[in-house]
Amino acid sequence: MSVLLPRKVRPARIAAWLAEGWRRFRAAPGVALLVAAPPTLIGAGLLVAFTAGGHLPLLAVLGGGFMLLGPVLIAGHLGLARALAAGRAPRFADFAAGYRRAPPGLWGLAGVTALLFAIWVTDMAVVYGMFVDHAEGRARTADVIAFLGWGGLAGLFFALTIFVCTAFAVPLLAERRATLPQAVASSVRAVGANPVTMAGWGCTLAGAVFAAILLPPLLALALPLLAHASCAAYREVFPAD
C-alpha cells in the first residue's frame, strides 16, 4: 500500500490557513451561512433546552462529539473551493458536488465517525445520569467537575484518534487521490510529520468549536471558516503536484 508523502509545515502557517478560510468565507458568505444554518439552529435549540433543564455540562459532550463529525464537512467545502479557483461565485450545487463525486470510502469513513459519535454521546449521557446528583434540581459542583474531567479525558482520546485519522483522509478521498486505507495512513503520517503544527491546529479547531457551542450564532461563522481553513491546510500539506 503506497502512502502519499506529506509536506512539513511550520506552526506559523496556522494563521495563514485561518486567513485563507476567512477570505473564502467572504467570497461566498451566502452559501456558507446556508450550509451552517442547520447545525447552528440545532446548537441554539440544545443550548436553550439544556440550560432550562439544568443540564448545561452536557453541552461539553456535544462539543467534543462534534469534533468527530466536523471533518466530513471538508468534502463539501472542497467543492466551493474549486468554484472559487475557477473564478466563479460558488453555489450550493458546488457544495453538494463535493459529496456527489465522493467515493464509497468517504461514506464508509463518515459512517464510522457517526457511529463513534453515537457511542460517545450515549455513553456520556449514561455517565452523566449515574454520577451527577440532581438533588433539589441542582447538580453538585464536585460531581460536575468529576464528570467534565473524566469525560474530557475520554473525549480527548476519541477526538484525537479521529483527528489523526481523518484530518487529511477526508479531502484525499473526496478528490479520489487515495483509497480508504491509503488516505487514513497518509493522514496519520502527515500528523506524525508535523506534530507541533497539527497539535496547534487541533487545539484551534477544538477551542473555536467549544466557544461556538456556548454561543451558537458563532457556529454559523466558525463552521465554514474552519472548513475552508482545513481545505487550505490540506492543499499545503498534500499539494496537487
Side-chain angles (χ1 to χ4, degrees):
M1 179 182 67
S2 61
V3 177
L4 279 72
L5 296 178
R7 177 181 292 176
K8 292 188 176 182
V9 291
R10 296 176 290 107
R13 296 301 301 163
I14 293 176
W17 298 339
L18 292 172
E20 179 63 14
W22 174 245
R23 186 190 70 80
R24 294 181 185 179
F25 171 79
R26 291 186 61 190
V31 177
L33 293 175
L34 177 63
V35 171
T40 299
L41 293 175
I42 292 172
L46 291 174
L47 176 62
V48 172
F50 287 165
T51 301
H55 305 301
L56 197 58
L58 284 176
L59 277 179
V61 174
L62 291 176
F66 182 80
M67 295 296 294
L68 306 180
L69 299 177
V72 179
L73 290 174
I74 298 175
H77 283 80
L78 280 172
L80 300 180
R82 281 190 289 268
L84 288 171
R88 58 181 179 83
R91 300 168 300 171
F92 182 78
D94 296 309
F95 180 85
Y99 294 99
R100 283 200 306 270
R101 60 182 293 178
L106 177 58
W107 297 112
L109 188 61
V112 171
T113 59
L115 177 62
L116 290 176
F117 173 79
I119 293 173
W120 160 251
V121 171
T122 53
D123 285 358
M124 291 308 298
V126 170
V127 172
Y128 180 82
M130 291 175 58
F131 295 103
V132 178
D133 184 13
H134 283 278
E136 300 181 358
R138 292 179 298 178
R140 293 189 306 178
T141 302
D143 291 336
V144 172
I145 293 176
F147 169 75
L148 293 176
W150 289 108
L153 289 176
L156 178 63
F157 171 77
F158 271 96
L160 182 61
T161 301
I162 294 300
F163 176 74
V164 170
C165 294
T166 65
F168 299 104
V170 169
L172 287 172
L173 285 168
E175 295 197 327
R176 297 179 178 268
R177 296 178 62 186
T179 62
L180 178 56
Q182 290 172 331
V184 172
S186 298
S187 183
V188 172
R189 183 167 186 171
V191 175
N194 299 281
V196 177
T197 302
M198 290 299 105
W201 181 232
C203 290
T204 300
L205 295 174
V209 167
F210 277 107
I213 289 292
L214 294 176
L215 191 60
L218 285 179
L219 204 58
L221 171 63
L223 290 182
L225 191 154
L226 295 176
H228 278 308
S230 296
C231 292
Y234 157 68
R235 290 292 184 207
E236 186 163 348
V237 176
F238 288 104
D241 57 358

